[in-house]
Amino acid sequence: MAILEGMHILVVDDEKIIREGAERILKKEGWKTTIAESGERGLELIKGNEFQILMLDLMMPGISGMEVLKNVREIQPDLLVIVITGYATIENAVEAMRNGAYDFIPKPFTPDQLRIVVRRAMDKINLEREAELLRIERAKSLQDIANEKSKTLTIINHMADGVLVTDQNGYIVLNNPAVTRMLGLEEESPLGKHLSAWAGSEDLTRMLEKVLSMESSQDQGISLELAWGDPPKSFFVAHSAPVRSDKGEIFGSVTVFNDVTWLKELDRMKSEFVDMVSHELRSPLSAIRQKLSLIVDGLTGEINEEQGQIVSRVQHRIDGLIGMISNLLDLSRIESGRLVQQKERIALPEIIDETIDLMTQEAEKKELKFEVAIDAQLFPIHADRQSMETVITNLLSNAVKYNREGGRVSISARNRGEFIEVKVADNGVGISKEDLPRIFDKFYRIRSEYTRKVIGSGIGLPLVRAIVEAHFGTITVESETGKGTTFTVLLPRGIS
Ligand code: ADP
């Protein structure tokens, strides 16, 4: 056994030959041993030292072994006592055991018998020490767990985001104050209630059901935007994920709520501002454009060629500004859900043809070639006509604007499952990997030698995406610098 350090044996026997013999044998084993010739001396030594094992003769003159044993129980209750006894006093040995002695050895004994009995006592001490260490260790780890738990709870309770944990049946097992405050449900504690009964939100209940039935461990969770109140007063994004055991079984869910009301409010204020400014700008610009037309058309008198050219250029710039303002207005309208309301059954090829016609002048200046491939059996779509014109115009005009002399612009439309796929591709300047993820951000324009010369506002693509998404479609882009760009739009087919 490993833990033998610090063992100290005391042998108390009035028979010199026994106690000295025992001392010799024990010391030979390398065990620290002290001897005493009487009960009195033995007790004295026990009071002043720390022994682990006491070998105690029962039959001694003066204070008897049995007395010593009783005293030892009081002085050092954990001292392990082995009584040394003659054959005739075996009953005494039994009594001693009853009084707390651990073992006994009859006299006379052989060195081996002595070693065995002492070793057994040492083993017992070692086992007890180990058990004690384990107990301390366990108590410590329980304490650690308790500390950890209270630390985690403190953190969760002080989080600004709402946290809600359910078991695998959807009953709430943990929540923080933020979630009850956010949902305006501070009155009653959610603990033990089913989420659907407590929050009363179908969206939340459906999300939880989905999360709790996510079979694949690849499924990370669901995010959902929630409008809270009727009419909505607050807006949240709820991220919900399953909690799995090591084996991947779901034993609950955890949902974190971010309050995005202020972001919504900011967005609304921004849209209102853009709306207001655009309206204020559009009318005077349109008036200026009309007046300029009067000049160009000669209704205000003769103008020479140079004057005509200057006014035309001004008109062109004003057209750019009016286009940008229309885009801005459309974007703010679509963001507030006011645009795509007039859906009708429309045929995309018509819109594509008309848009290409409008672009030819611009394209000819750069000697661009148009390639058009439209599936003859193309499904109609159910969409807002003006919005679709905006989508095609913006994509085609970008393919023209960001192209080189003699370049190519191709547009194709085909049926793809339940969708119609429209691709607008060019072999122009392309977009770098770094810029690609940002081109759908509002007002984002790529800064390069080439794009510096192109007039634009950075709201064409965000508007296109907003329109496509409002029609339950998607838009993706692939591009490589210097090689060209392809935009792919998928729109759900209309009921034919
Ligand atoms: P802009 O008014 O600047 O054209 P967009 O939102 O339409 O705004 O496009 C954002 C940016 O994406 C553009 O400034 C341009 O740099 C890049 N971009 C868009 N389409 C293409 C394209 N077909 N080829 C290369 N770059 C493009």
Side-chain angles (χ1 to χ4, degrees):
M1 195 139 305
I3 322 161
L4 284 173
E5 308 96 57
M7 291 273 190
H8 193 176
I9 308 165
L10 174 64
V11 182
V12 181
D13 201 313
D14 60 322
E15 275 182 77
K16 191 166 184 265
I17 184 161
I18 298 278
R19 71 173 181 266
E20 287 182 355
E23 183 186 25
R24 222 176 12 255
I25 296 163
L26 298 175
K27 280 193 167 165
K28 222 163 137 192
E29 290 297 313
W31 298 330
K32 194 173 168 195
T33 310
T34 301
I35 48 174
E37 67 291 349
S38 67
E40 290 83 352
R41 176 75 188 132
L43 283 173
E44 248 176 61
L45 283 168
I46 289 168
K47 281 179 196 155
N49 293 275
E50 203 182 312
F51 297 100
Q52 280 69 46
I53 299 172
L54 167 65
M55 304 213 53
L56 179 65
D57 183 16
L58 283 183
M59 300 294 277
M60 287 185 292
I63 173 169
S64 75
M66 210 60 86
E67 280 302 300
V68 174
L69 188 58
K70 283 179 191 153
N71 278 310
V72 160
R73 290 288 117 231
E74 275 158 34
I75 304 167
Q76 191 187 332
D78 64 337
L79 181 60
L80 218 71
V81 183
I82 302 168
V83 292
I84 307 170
T85 158
Y87 289 114
T89 58
I90 202 95
E91 287 83 26
N92 282 347
V94 173
E95 198 196 332
M97 303 286 275
R98 250 187 236 125
N99 282 331
Y102 167 67
D103 208 348
F104 75 98
I105 182 165
K107 273 197 267 195
F109 46 75
T110 65
D112 264 351
Q113 284 170 330
L114 178 65
R115 278 194 288 266
I116 287 170
V117 89
V118 171
R119 210 166 254 135
R120 200 157 53 214
M122 284 180 166
D123 285 350
K124 174 165 163 63
I125 292 169
N126 281 335
L127 275 175
E128 272 173 3
R129 280 185 184 174
E130 275 187 356
E132 175 66 4
L133 280 179
L134 277 175
R135 201 189 56 71
I136 292 171
E137 209 36 53
R138 215 171 140 244
K140 201 171 140 272
S141 54
L142 282 177
Q143 186 61 47
D144 284 351
I145 291 170
N147 286 346
E148 206 46 54
K149 213 171 142 192
S150 82
K151 226 189 305 172
T152 313
L153 270 182
T154 313
I155 294 170
I156 290 178
N157 283 343
H158 284 86
M159 273 170 70
D161 289 338
V163 178
L164 200 72
V165 182
T166 73
D167 64 11
Q168 71 269 47
N169 299 316
Y171 287 92
I172 299 164
V173 292
L174 180 80
N175 74 287
N176 66 353
V179 74
T180 51
R181 201 174 48 238
M182 273 182 190
L183 303 186
L185 297 166
E186 295 108 318
E187 312 274 284
E188 38 176 343
S189 164
L191 290 182
K193 302 209 168 85
H194 197 277
L195 178 73
S196 61
W198 179 66
S201 153
E202 274 180 29
D203 289 342
L204 265 182
T205 308
R206 224 171 298 127
M207 173 171 81
L208 185 74
E209 278 168 6
K210 269 196 201 146
V211 164
L212 290 176
S213 57
M214 282 180 164
E215 279 180 5
S216 156
S217 53
Q218 305 291 320
D219 290 333
Q220 297 297 316
I222 299 175
S223 295
L224 177 78
E225 196 177 304
L226 286 170
W228 205 252
D230 189 18
K233 284 201 188 73
S234 331
F235 296 86
F236 308 110
V237 177
H239 310 275
S240 190
V243 183
R244 295 178 193 275
S245 67
D246 293 347
K247 290 184 198 124
E249 293 152 5
I250 293 180
F251 58 83
S253 73
V254 55
T255 308
V256 176
F257 294 79
N258 301 130
D259 192 336
V260 291
T261 314
W262 65 277
L263 276 177
K264 284 269 170 196
E265 180 61 9
L266 211 65
D267 236 31
R268 193 189 56 78
M269 281 162 57
K270 217 166 59 193
S271 297
E272 260 179 28
F273 176 74
V274 169
D275 232 23
M276 191 262 291
V277 172
S278 315
H279 269 122
E280 296 298 311
L281 284 175
R282 195 162 60 169
S283 322
L285 275 175
S286 303
I288 293 170
R289 197 187 185 294
Q290 258 174 356
K291 298 274 173 339
L292 287 176
S293 300
L294 296 180
I295 299 174
V296 175
D297 296 345
L299 296 175
T300 52
E302 284 272 313
I303 51 167
N304 64 31
E305 203 183 325
E306 200 188 343
Q307 288 166 332
Q309 275 172 3
I310 293 173
V311 177
S312 288
R313 255 181 267 142
V314 173
Q315 259 185 328
H316 185 67
R317 296 304 280 258
I318 287 178
D319 283 344
L321 276 176
I322 292 176
M324 183 185 109
I325 289 169
S326 302
N327 275 351
L328 268 174
L329 277 173
D330 284 351
L331 191 60
S332 72
R333 272 194 218 127
I334 207 161
E335 282 179 342
S336 57
R338 279 179 286 143
L339 194 68
V340 195
Q341 278 160 359
Q342 276 134 44
K343 284 193 186 167
E344 56 185 311
R345 190 164 174 248
I346 53 173
L348 265 184
E350 259 174 47
I351 294 179
I352 294 175
D353 285 343
E354 281 166 18
T355 317
I356 291 176
D357 282 348
L358 288 174
M359 298 275 153
T360 26
Q361 208 188 349
E362 199 69 23
E364 271 167 8
K365 276 196 216 152
K366 275 182 160 175
E367 295 178 5
L368 297 180
K369 214 167 78 196
F370 271 110
E371 286 169 6
V372 186
I374 296 178
D375 190 340
Q377 311 295 321
L378 198 71
F379 298 132
I381 55 169
H382 193 64
D384 180 77
R385 171 172 288 275
Q386 205 197 329
S387 302
M388 284 304 121
E389 283 169 6
T390 308
V391 169
I392 304 293
T393 309
N394 270 290
L395 292 179
L396 276 178
S397 108
N398 279 352
V400 170
K401 280 196 299 189
Y402 302 104
N403 218 325
R404 293 203 187 88
E405 298 270 316
R408 172 178 49 80
V409 174
S410 55
I411 178 158
S412 67
R414 64 182 185 108
N415 296 328
R416 205 173 126 188
E418 292 299 296
F419 291 87
I420 292 199
E421 180 195 79
V422 180
K423 269 186 195 282
V424 178
D426 63 68
N427 60 351
V429 293
I431 304 165
S432 72
K433 267 201 203 74
E434 294 74 44
D435 287 312
L436 209 53
R438 300 205 52 194
I439 57 164
F440 290 103
D441 291 353
K442 268 184 251 176
F443 306 109
Y444 187 76
R445 301 204 68 217
I446 298 167
R447 286 174 203 287
S448 75
E449 244 343 89
Y450 186 86
T451 55
R452 224 161 34 89
K453 289 179 255 150
V454 183
I455 301 173
S457 58
I459 48 167
L461 289 180
L463 175 62
V464 166
R465 182 159 78 175
I467 292 175
V468 170
E469 287 178 355
H471 284 83
F472 308 108
T474 58
I475 177 163
T476 49
V477 58
E478 285 164 90
S479 188
E480 206 177 315
T481 315
K483 294 220 164 136
T485 308
T486 303
F487 285 93
T488 306
V489 176
L490 284 179
L491 290 165
R493 55 180 277 198
I495 308 128
S496 35

